[in-house]
Amino acid sequence: MVIDAHAHVSPTLFGETKEYLEQLEQSDIQQGVIGPGGMLDIRRMSDYLTGKAEPFNQPPPNDYVEQSFHTHSQLHGLACVDPLEPRAVQKLEQYLKNGFRGLKLAPLIHALSFDSEAVAGLVLLCGERGVPVYSHVVPRPGVDTARFAELARRFPHTNFVLEHMGHGPADQEATAAASELDNFFLETSLGTYLHIHESVKKAGAHKVLFGSEYPLSHPAVELKKILLLPISEPERERILGENIRELLRLE
């Protein structure tokens, strides 16, 4: 079974659940892990990364994600919570009770730092509940690869998923952290073929998760990079589904 470990859905023109399900079917992918999108216009991603544009001032559509995975059993949800909002830990706990299977941090959207006590509270809860913490990193103090890896060291009983393999096109800190830390995993969406291949060789297939980053990329495009890797079929099966099944405790 193939599972897309990283996608975003939102009630927008560029991220509806209906289109995502259609793309999964086109790609012969059976399940997907979805978090809220729509907090920025992905068609202007470079502007956000360079600071030329600011994200939309609106909360993550967690309710849309929840409706999607309750309606479609092949989908599994991640809740996006701003660590600085009031009662953030309590809100995450309620989301987990409602069926969400992990936390999505969003450094491009929220003014967070990986070494803050606000983030620590959410991470601790995830460890207690046995769910992973997802995040991307950006070239900004407090939310880079080294800080995310340090967070994983501080909380060895919580699993961490670094989206996009870290900073593109080849984040050696990310590969080193995945090699060193049992609780640190790399998700492949938008990652370069060479970086994915090198990370599998150095960290092992058990530390790499296939993801698409829908709607920014098509699941079939991201899947092709994994299918082309010169690895064994058991290793490929781990990357394409077994690893995320274990992290999310899917039946």
Side-chain angles (χ1 to χ4, degrees):
M1 177 181 293
V2 180
I3 303 174
D4 175 7
H6 182 200
H8 298 269
V9 296
S10 60
T12 64
L13 295 175
F14 50 86
E16 290 187 332
T17 300
K18 179 178 181 292
E19 182 183 39
Y20 177 54
L21 291 171
E22 290 172 354
Q23 290 191 9
L24 288 184
E25 185 173 0
Q26 293 169 7
S27 309
D28 196 22
I29 296 172
Q30 288 72 48
Q31 297 186 23
V33 180
I34 54 174
M39 292 90 80
L40 46 75
D41 186 341
I42 58 169
R43 297 165 293 189
R44 300 184 62 194
M45 185 59 70
S46 293
D47 289 341
Y48 298 112
L49 292 172
T50 58
K52 293 179 181 178
E54 294 293 329
F56 304 146
N57 185 22
Q58 61 186 35
N62 288 307
D63 54 344
Y64 184 79
V65 172
E66 183 174 348
Q67 177 186 354
S68 297
F69 70 72
H70 280 312
T71 303
H72 306 282
S73 61
Q74 68 268 48
L75 301 179
H76 316 284
L78 302 174
C80 183
V81 176
D82 181 355
L84 299 181
E85 70 175 300
R87 297 178 56 80
V89 173
Q90 290 83 354
K91 289 181 179 180
L92 176 59
E93 187 158 29
Q94 186 59 56
Y95 283 131
L96 297 179
K97 290 179 180 177
N98 291 350
F100 284 84
R101 293 182 177 270
L103 168 66
K104 168 73 174 87
L105 296 175
L108 269 179
I109 308 299
H110 302 134
L112 61 90
S113 175
F114 292 140
D115 57 8
S116 71
E117 289 307 308
V119 168
L122 294 172
V123 167
L124 182 61
L125 176 64
C126 288
E128 292 171 349
R129 298 294 181 269
V131 300
V133 176
Y134 274 62
S135 187
H136 58 261
V137 292
V138 293
R140 194 177 75 216
V143 286
D144 56 13
T145 300
R147 292 291 180 91
F148 196 55
E150 184 57 35
L151 187 61
R153 290 188 185 92
R154 287 178 57 200
F155 294 92
H157 300 298
T158 302
N159 288 316
F160 294 81
V161 176
L162 178 57
E163 301 165 353
H164 320 310
M165 314 283 290
H167 289 303
D171 189 335
Q172 293 301 301
E173 283 186 303
T175 302
S179 302
E180 172 196 349
L181 302 170
D182 291 339
N183 61 332
F184 197 88
F185 299 82
L186 303 177
E187 181 272 318
T188 63
S189 66
L190 310 184
T192 61
Y193 174 84
L194 177 61
H195 186 32
I196 296 171
H197 188 197
E198 287 296 305
S199 294
V200 171
K201 287 195 296 184
K202 294 176 180 178
H206 65 292
K207 302 306 291 295
V208 178
L209 314 173
F210 157 67
S212 74
E213 182 66 346
Y214 168 87
L216 192 58
S217 187
H218 193 294
V221 173
E222 300 299 322
L223 177 60
K224 190 66 173 180
K225 290 184 285 191
I226 310 303
L227 296 178
L228 289 172
L229 289 174
I231 58 178
S232 69
E233 284 311 302
E235 287 176 314
R236 203 179 323 275
E237 289 172 3
R238 275 220 151 269
I239 295 170
L240 291 179
E242 290 180 12
N243 292 333
I244 190 61
R245 283 174 62 89
E246 291 176 2
L247 281 177
L248 299 188
R249 302 181 180 182
L250 301 178
E251 296 181 0

